[in-house]
Every structure is written in structure tokens, then in C-alpha cells.
């Protein structure tokens, strides 16, 4: 099963649409509700990161009976220091984003907690790819 | 009593077939995509219906009705208790004291009245306690609106643990009623009718199919719209009669009364990390956010399916914007009654008992989204569904009887509909067939004299195909 959704950077109105669709698909195939929840939360955080930091991204969902994989591939500034970015509370979100209640620096740590495997590759000035794997029990 | 045989779930919202024109207004409005039009009539998919009343509101032909109890049912009991929902007080003109309404209920056939606003005062206090206790779960969701509880069961099964397991004011009022009746009379409880005077179909269903409580302590629900004309009549024409009985009633305070409108519940609970959301479509948006983990800094969500809260229920009579104002005024006027409520003997006993307000049964999920019990099959159906969606026009017109193209695709993979139910697909198919028929018509046999004009072709062994003559018939 393979699905692709587009996410537009800066579009706060549509933020959350991709993760809602992912959530509904997993509910429809009958994934365990705890799994649905973890994927939905992680996917939403990743989607928010795109909306806050990047220009554009594709979110792909691949799932079979054993596992769910979410890949978020964006075109954007890239992450300067991935280890730093993974630190809870560290954020490079601009002030206007924080005023909206986002950018608390918990996105990446949250995604890591929710998924059973997470990999980030990033190239400065080009973009970032986050790959998350979940057990679909 | 109202339950139809072989029905899996109880529903108060029903269809009057002869009035239904099969328009698509209700299927488009339904928050759980629970309605389909088949054979020119709307059909409710029981498992998905949450009895919110949206379809009752939108139906231009009044084909959707709420089946509830009537005052005639009172005859089946020796003693009858009315539990008026706070929304009832806003229905009457300004300046009518809630005690007068309670007295009017007594004069139209009830033997005892327990104000649900009174129970709401106590429930508000208990909710405050419950959300102040340390807990991993944030935010809690109010269990007061049964349509919202059902929405969570059907569409957000992940959030069931967020529903605060504290009784709704209606349930608490019923328990108070039982205690008071036992104290006042020596009647067997089975001879006592306990009737909720309801603003909405959701409560009617919740009474017949309780969530969170095992024992049903309420006999039925009577619409506010049914008692309203009788009460108004009494208040307008027999004020002296009411004055005599008025002293007997114990109304709730302004805080309890406030539960009738959106925001009132939060006000009654007190505190600041709460939000109030009304209107089922807005409730869905908020619950989506809760699922994303976005609202973990909020303690409590007061969520009501009707716009404006209970005063916006489909079983009320007055415009909800007007009743909201009246409820607000009444709430301000009766704000000082809270002490009296909390000093009541039965209230004190209930508040001291740890378990009195607790749900005694877990709320079960009712997920309806799954395409198949076997995940591999479900995944295959999902893929198939996606292909169908790509092929459909995406206009979400509803002509096929499903609320949108995606829902039609889902119905197709579930074996409940056909791709050709789509009017555009059907027309496209008809056009294709017409083209094919034209082509076939052109290919009439040469013996009939209509031969296509073709250049003479010589094949490899020197045979000539039939030479097309210039058509002289034209």
C-alpha cells in the first residue's frame, strides 16, 4: 500500500491534512488504535516541521501487515546540526510561529518517541528527509 | 420499548419514508457519513449514526423525525418524576422563574421534579475534583453530551480514555430522584417513572442505551417541545395554582442552569485551562487536534453537538440565540443559590461518597471505519478504493447516494455500491457505447450497399480487397 500526500510550507491552514488522511487510512485497514495514534502524532509533527521550516514536501505512507513507514521528504533549508535539533526544547522556529503555539522544540524528540526507528538525512540548502518506521501489530 | 427488533443500536432519529424525496441534503450534512440514498429514500447506517440531529435540522421535507416518549407513558406508573433539562428555562419569556416552570410540570401530571441544573451544580464540583487530580490523560472530554460521546466511540475510538468518567447531570439527577422518592414514599422503584425532559435526540438514545452506566435509572425522555405548550398555558393562565405548589421545588443555582448553553459547563467547573466547543463539525475539528496531541495543555473540553449548546437542540422550540441570552440572565439572577444547593441533605451525602458520580461501566469503542477484519484484505481493498477514487470526477455531488466520491469508492469496495452509480461515470460509459454503436453501424455488410470508402489494397499474394466504389447514394 503506497500513498503520497503533498505538504506546502507556510500553509498553516492546511497543516494537519496529510496526517489526518494517514490516520484515516490506518483506521480503515484496521491498525491497532495505539499504532494509529503514534503514527498520527509523529506524522503531524513532521508535517508541522515542513509547514514551519521548509518550502514544500511529499509525505509518503507505505504499509503492510507488519509495519508502517512514513517518509517526509522536503525541499528546504536543511538542518544544520541534527544532534542539536534532536535535543528536547531546542528550536529554530521564528517568533511568529512560537506565538501560534508551535515550535516548542519537541517535534523531533516526539517523533522519535512515537516511532520504533527514525532516520534523518539533511543537506543544507537542499532539504531534509525523515524516515520513520512503526510496527503495525 | 422503542427498540425495533434485530436493531443493533438504539436510535431516536428515524425517517418518514413517504416524506423523503431522496434529496442529498442530509447525506452531505451528516458528520459520520451515516446516510445513503437508496431507491430514492434516505437510509441511516445504524452503526455510524450518533443521533446528533443534524439531519433532522437540515431536511427540507421534515422527513427526519425524533421518536421519543409522550406524556401518555406516565399512565403506566404510579408515581412520575420529571427531570427538566436546564434548556427548558430559556424557552419561556423573560422573567419566568425556574421554580414556576417546575411547579407547572407538577401541575401537568408529574408528582415530583428534580431540577437537572441542581444535579449539574454537584457534577460541576465533582468534575473540578476529577480534573485537579494528577493524571497522564490531557485533555479530558466532557461526557455530558451523548452525541459527542457516541462520536468518540464511532469516529475517535482512540480518545475513549479521554472521556471523563463522571456522570452527566441527567444521570445524577435520576439518582437523586430515586433517593428522594425512596425517602418520601414507600413505593417500589419499578412503579416510579423517571422522565427526562429532553432538548435533543442524543439524550433520548443515551437513556435507552447508556454509555458509562450499567443500570438504567431513567424510564424515558419527553421532548421539551411536547411539554412546552402545556407549561406556557399553565404559567399564563393559572398563576395562582402554580403559586401554591412552587415552594416545594428545589431549583439549581445559576451555575447549574448555565449548562444549558455552551460555555456554562466550564463556568460551573471553574478554572481556566478549559475550552468550550459547540456544533458537531467544530467538535470534530477539536477532537482531531486532541488526537494529534496538540491540546495537552488543556485540562477539559466541554463539547456539545448543537450550536449554542443544549439550547440549540432540535427538540426545543425557541431560537437558540434568544434562549442563550435568557439562560445567561437567569444564571446571573440565580447565582447566589449555590450554597443552598450544596447544603441539601441528599446533595451532601452524594458529594461525600467517592463513587456516587463515577461511571460504573467502561465506554466501549464502536469503530466503523475498518474495511475488513483481515488486515491483508483491508489493505487490498484500500488500494482498490484509491484507484476508484482517482477515476471518479471528485465533484462530491452526492447524486450516487453517497456523501462524496471517496465514500462511494468505499461503498464499492465494501460491495454496497457500483462504480456506475456515479452519474458522470455512467454518462461517460453511455457515450463510449454510443461511439461503439456508431462504429458498428458503419461496418454494415457490403451486400447491403453501404460500403466504407477505402483505397484498393493488394495483399501479399496478389488478392484485391473489395474495391470501394464512390458512394453515389449520397
Amino acid at each position: 500500500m503506497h500513498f503520497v500526500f503533498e505538504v506546502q510550507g507556510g500553509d498553516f491552514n492546511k497543516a494537519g491534512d496529510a496526517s489526518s488522511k494517514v490516520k484515516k487510512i490506518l483506521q480503515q485497514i484496521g491498525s491497532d488504535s495505539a499504532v494509529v495514534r503514534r503514527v498520527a502524532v509523529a506524522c503531524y509533527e513532521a508535517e508541522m516541521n515542513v509547514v514551519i521550516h521548509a518550502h514544500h514536501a511529499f509525505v509518503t505512507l507505505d504499509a503492510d501487515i507488519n509495519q508502517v513507514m512514513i517518509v517526509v521528504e522536503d525541499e528546504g533549508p536543511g538542518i544544520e546540526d541534527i544532534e542539536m535539533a534532536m535535543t528536547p526544547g531546542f528550536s529554530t522556529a521564528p517568533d511568529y510561529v512560537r506565538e501560534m503555539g508551535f515550535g516548542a522544540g519537541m517535534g523531533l524528540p516526539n517523533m522519535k518517541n512515537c516511532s520504533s526507528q527514525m532516520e534523518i538525512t539533511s543537506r543544507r540548502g537542499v532539504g531534509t528527509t525523515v524516515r520513520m518506521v512503526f510496527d503495525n501489530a | 420499548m422503542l427498540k425495533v427488533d434485530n436493531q443493533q443500536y438504539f436510535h431516536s432519529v428515524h425517517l418518514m419514508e413517504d416524506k423523503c424525496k431522496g434529496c442529498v441534503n442530509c447525506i452531505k450534512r451528516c458528520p459520520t457519513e451515516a446516510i445513503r440514498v437508496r431507491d430514492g429514500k434516505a437510509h441511516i447506517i445504524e452503526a455510524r449514526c450518533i443521533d446528533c440531529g443534524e439531519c433532522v435540522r437540515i431536511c427540507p421535507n421534515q422527513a427526519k423525525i425524533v421518536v421519543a416518549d409522550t406524556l401518555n407513558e406516565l399512565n403506566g406508573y404510579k408515581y412520575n418524576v420529571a427531570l427538566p433539562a436546564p434548556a427548558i428555562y430559556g424557552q419561556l419569556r423573560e422573567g419566568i422563574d425556574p421554580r414556576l416552570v417546575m411547579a407547572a410540570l407538577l401541575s401537568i401530571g408529574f408528582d415530583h421534579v428534580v431540577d437537572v441544573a441542581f444535579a449539574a451544580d454537584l457534577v460541576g464540583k465533582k468534575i473540578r475534583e476529577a480534573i485537579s487530580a494528577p493524571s497522564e490523560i490531557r485533555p479530558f472530554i466532557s461526557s455530558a453530551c451523548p452525541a459527542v460521546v457516541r462520536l468518540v466511540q464511532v469516529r475517535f475510538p482512540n480518545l475513549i480514555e479521554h472521556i471523563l468518567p463522571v456522570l452527566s447531570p441527567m444521570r445524577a439527577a435520576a439518582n437523586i430522584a430515586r433517593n428522594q422518592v425512596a425517602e418520601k414514599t414507600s413505593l417500589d422503584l419499578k412503579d416510579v417513572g423517571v422522565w427526562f425532559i429532553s432538548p435533543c435526540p442524543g439524550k433520548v438514545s443515551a437513556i435507552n442505551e447508556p454509555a458509562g452506566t450499567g443500570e438504567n435509572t431513567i424510564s424515558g425522555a419527553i421532548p421539551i417541545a411536547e411539554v412546552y405548550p402545556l407549561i406556557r398555558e399553565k404559567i399564563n393562565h393559572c398563576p395562582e395554582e402554580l403559586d401554591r405548589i412552587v415552594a416545594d421545588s428545589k431549583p439549581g443555582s445559576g451555575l447549574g442552569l448555565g449548562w444549558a448553553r455552551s460555555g456554562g459547563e466550564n463556568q460551573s467547573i471553574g478554572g481556566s485551562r478549559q475550552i468550550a466547543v459547540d456544533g458537531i463539525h467544530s467538535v470534530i475539528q477539536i477532537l482531531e487536534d486532541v488526537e494529534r496531541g496538540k491540546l495537552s495543555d488543556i485540562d477539559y473540553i466541554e463539547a456539545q453537538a448543537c450550536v449554542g449548546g443544549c439550547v440549540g437542540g432540535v427538540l426545543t422550540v425557541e431560537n437558540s440565540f434568544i434562549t442563550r441570552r435568557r439562560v445567561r440572565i437567569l444564571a446571573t439572577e440565580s447565582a447566589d443559590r449555590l450554597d443552598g444547593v450544596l447544603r441539601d441533605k441528599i446533595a451532601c451525602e452524594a458529594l461525600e461518597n467517592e463513587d456516587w458520580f463515577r461511571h460504573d461501566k467502561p465506554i466501549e469503542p464502536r469503530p466503523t471505519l475498518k474495511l475488513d477484519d483481515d488486515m491483508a484484505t483491508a489493505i487490498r481493498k484500500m488500494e482498490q478504493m484509491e484507484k476508484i477514487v482517482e477515476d471518479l470526477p471528485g465533484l462530491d455531488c452526492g447524486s450516487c447516494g453517497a456523501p462524496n466520491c471517496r465514500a462511494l469508492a468505499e461503498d464499492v469496495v465494501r460491495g454496497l455500491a457500483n462504480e456506475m452509480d456515479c452519474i458522470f461515470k455512467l454518462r461517460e460509459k453511455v457515450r463510449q457505447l454510443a461511439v461503439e454503436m456508431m462504429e458498428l453501424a458503419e461496418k454494415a455488410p457490403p451486400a447491403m450497399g453501404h460500403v466504407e470508402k477505402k483505397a484498393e489494397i493488394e495483399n501479399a499474394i496478389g488478392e484485391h480487397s473489395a474495391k470501394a466504389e464512390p458512394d453515389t447514394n449520397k
Side-chain angles (χ1 to χ4, degrees):
Chain A
M1 203 176 70
H2 179 77
F3 290 88
V4 183
F5 307 102
E6 244 184 295
V7 180
Q8 202 57 50
D11 189 350
F12 283 89
N13 285 324
K14 293 263 163 61
D17 280 15
S19 52
S20 281
K21 285 175 187 154
V22 166
K23 186 184 79 191
K24 193 166 178 202
I25 289 168
L26 294 181
Q27 282 176 329
Q28 284 183 312
I29 65 167
S31 293
D32 184 74
S33 70
V35 177
V36 176
R37 194 154 185 189
R38 277 201 295 275
V39 178
V41 169
C43 188
Y44 175 69
E45 294 284 9
E47 195 182 345
M48 278 317 298
N49 281 347
V50 172
V51 173
I52 295 169
H53 301 284
H55 313 309
H56 181 263
F58 288 107
V59 175
T60 56
L61 159 70
D62 287 274
D64 58 29
I65 42 176
N66 298 315
Q67 70 170 35
V68 178
M69 186 164 81
I70 301 278
V71 179
V72 183
E73 195 173 0
D74 75 39
E75 290 162 22
I79 301 174
E80 205 160 317
D81 184 341
I82 294 179
E83 207 177 311
M84 192 72 150
M86 290 295 298
T87 316
F90 177 82
S91 173
T92 56
D95 284 346
Y96 82 95
V97 169
R98 289 170 193 258
E99 276 161 23
M100 286 155 78
F102 302 111
M106 291 310 292
L108 289 174
N110 238 347
M111 284 150 67
K112 196 174 171 62
N113 283 343
C114 288
S115 55
S116 39
Q117 236 186 81
M118 179 166 107
E119 283 166 26
I120 306 177
T121 50
S122 188
R123 275 178 62 200
R124 281 190 66 188
V126 179
T128 302
T129 300
V130 181
R131 193 172 151 274
M132 292 178 284
V133 178
F134 308 80
D135 300 322
N136 192 15
Chain B
M1 43 155 203
L2 289 164
K3 201 160 183 164
V4 179
D5 284 345
N6 72 40
Q7 199 178 352
Q8 196 184 358
Y9 296 116
F10 176 91
H11 288 294
S12 53
V13 174
H14 288 254
L15 180 81
M16 302 260 282
E17 278 224 353
D18 49 334
K19 281 193 174 176
C20 178
K21 287 185 177 168
C23 72
V24 294
N25 286 300
C26 60
I27 60 174
K28 305 233 75 168
R29 183 79 185 167
C30 176
T32 53
E33 297 187 346
I35 314 176
R36 297 289 183 276
V37 175
R38 294 281 176 268
D39 300 324
K41 303 287 173 195
H43 287 265
I44 301 173
I45 304 168
E46 269 186 54
R48 290 190 182 182
C49 173
I50 58 169
D51 288 302
C52 62
E54 283 296 299
C55 57
V56 181
R57 240 179 229 121
I58 196 80
C59 181
N61 308 306
Q62 282 86 47
K64 291 284 175 49
I65 53 157
V66 180
V67 179
D69 295 298
T70 63
L71 287 168
N72 291 336
E73 313 272 343
L74 269 56
N75 298 328
Y77 296 85
K78 286 184 188 153
Y79 192 87
N80 288 290
V81 185
L83 311 176
I88 198 172
Y89 305 121
Q91 307 297 311
L92 298 140
R93 66 167 196 275
E94 211 181 317
I96 302 287
D97 190 291
R99 275 173 287 202
L100 214 55
V101 178
M102 293 170 77
L105 282 167
L106 290 171
S107 74
I108 64 167
F110 291 97
D111 304 294
H112 185 68
V113 182
V114 177
D115 191 7
V116 173
F118 180 93
D121 276 326
L122 312 182
V123 171
K125 210 168 139 55
K126 278 290 163 184
I127 292 176
R128 174 82 263 157
E129 280 175 31
I131 58 178
S132 308
S135 164
E136 289 285 299
I137 300 167
R138 279 293 181 271
F140 281 112
I141 301 164
S142 167
S143 74
C145 174
V148 170
V149 172
R150 280 197 175 193
L151 176 74
V152 172
Q153 288 178 290
V154 169
R155 241 185 101 161
F156 297 93
N158 298 342
L159 298 182
I160 283 199
E161 59 173 19
H162 287 255
I163 298 175
L164 192 71
V166 171
L167 290 184
S168 67
M170 172 182 80
R171 292 269 163 215
N175 293 348
I176 292 172
R178 288 185 135 207
N179 288 351
Q180 288 180 344
V181 170
E183 208 166 72
K184 249 170 91 171
T185 71
S186 54
L187 286 164
D188 193 326
L189 280 175
K190 72 174 187 344
D191 294 325
V192 179
V194 179
W195 308 95
F196 182 66
I197 312 297
S198 180
C200 72
K203 288 282 187 192
V204 181
S205 304
I207 286 166
N208 290 283
E209 209 169 77
T213 51
E215 194 192 6
N216 191 9
T217 47
I218 306 175
S219 317
I222 296 169
I224 285 183
E226 188 176 332
V227 296
Y228 170 77
L230 302 170
I231 289 176
R232 201 184 52 177
E233 179 74 14
K234 286 282 178 191
I235 290 176
N236 287 343
H237 297 106
C238 320
E240 311 80 23
E241 184 193 339
L242 296 187
D243 279 343
R244 262 179 277 127
I245 18 185
V246 89
D248 194 31
S249 48
K250 255 186 215 141
S253 82
L255 288 176
L257 258 164
W259 282 60
R261 66 178 178 95
S262 175
E265 183 179 339
N266 278 345
Q267 209 178 350
S268 145
I269 295 163
S272 60
R273 303 208 313 173
Q274 283 130 286
I275 51 172
V277 51
D278 57 317
I280 194 78
H281 296 279
S282 308
V283 171
I284 289 172
Q285 283 178 2
I286 287 287
L287 295 184
E288 289 269 353
D289 279 347
V290 177
E291 265 195 338
R292 290 171 190 145
K294 232 177 119 177
L295 291 172
S296 48
D297 57 337
I298 297 290
D299 286 338
Y300 191 70
I301 299 178
E302 169 194 338
Q304 282 155 320
C306 297
V307 174
C310 298
V311 288
V314 291
L315 299 180
T316 59
V317 281
E318 259 286 20
N319 178 298
S320 73
F321 293 90
I322 295 170
T323 46
R324 265 184 101 151
R325 173 178 168 272
R326 290 186 189 150
V327 167
R328 203 186 61 225
I329 294 170
L330 275 174
T332 318
E333 284 170 355
S334 355
D336 55 350
R337 258 190 233 136
L338 186 63
D339 277 350
V341 170
L342 297 178
R343 269 201 306 273
D344 178 84
K345 191 172 138 271
I346 285 175
C348 287
E349 278 170 25
L351 286 171
E352 273 165 28
N353 183 342
E354 268 304 302
D355 297 327
W356 204 92
F357 290 91
R358 288 229 141 238
H359 283 180
D360 54 20
K361 232 180 90 186
I363 296 174
E364 300 292 339
R366 285 185 184 180
T368 56
L369 290 170
K370 231 199 290 186
L371 293 173
D372 200 284
D373 282 335
D374 172 57
M375 197 189 277
T377 313
I379 289 176
R380 217 170 43 243
K381 285 185 178 173
M382 192 73 224
E383 285 167 339
Q384 202 187 337
M385 193 178 130
E386 222 35 46
K387 279 204 194 80
I388 299 171
V389 170
E390 268 171 36
D391 244 23
L392 291 170
L395 294 174
D396 296 342
C397 67
S399 303
C400 61
N404 52 58
C405 295
R406 183 160 274 278
L408 172 63
E410 197 184 318
D411 287 352
V412 173
V413 300
R414 287 182 193 272
L416 304 169
N418 188 296
E419 250 179 287
M420 287 307 136
D421 292 350
C422 171
I423 194 100
F424 300 95
K425 294 288 282 182
L426 184 69
R427 280 189 69 160
E428 193 186 297
K429 187 84 186 168
V430 168
R431 199 185 60 83
Q432 273 173 16
L433 284 174
V435 170
E436 272 174 44
M437 278 168 71
M438 285 300 289
E439 280 170 9
L440 284 173
E442 302 266 312
K443 283 180 186 150
M448 287 174 74
H450 300 279
V451 184
E452 284 176 70
K453 287 177 199 172
K454 265 189 202 158
E456 191 178 328
I457 303 160
E458 199 178 337
N459 70 10
I461 50 167
E463 284 172 344
H464 288 247
S465 66
K467 193 180 175 188
E469 295 291 341
D471 194 349
T472 48
N473 290 345
K474 270 186 185 167

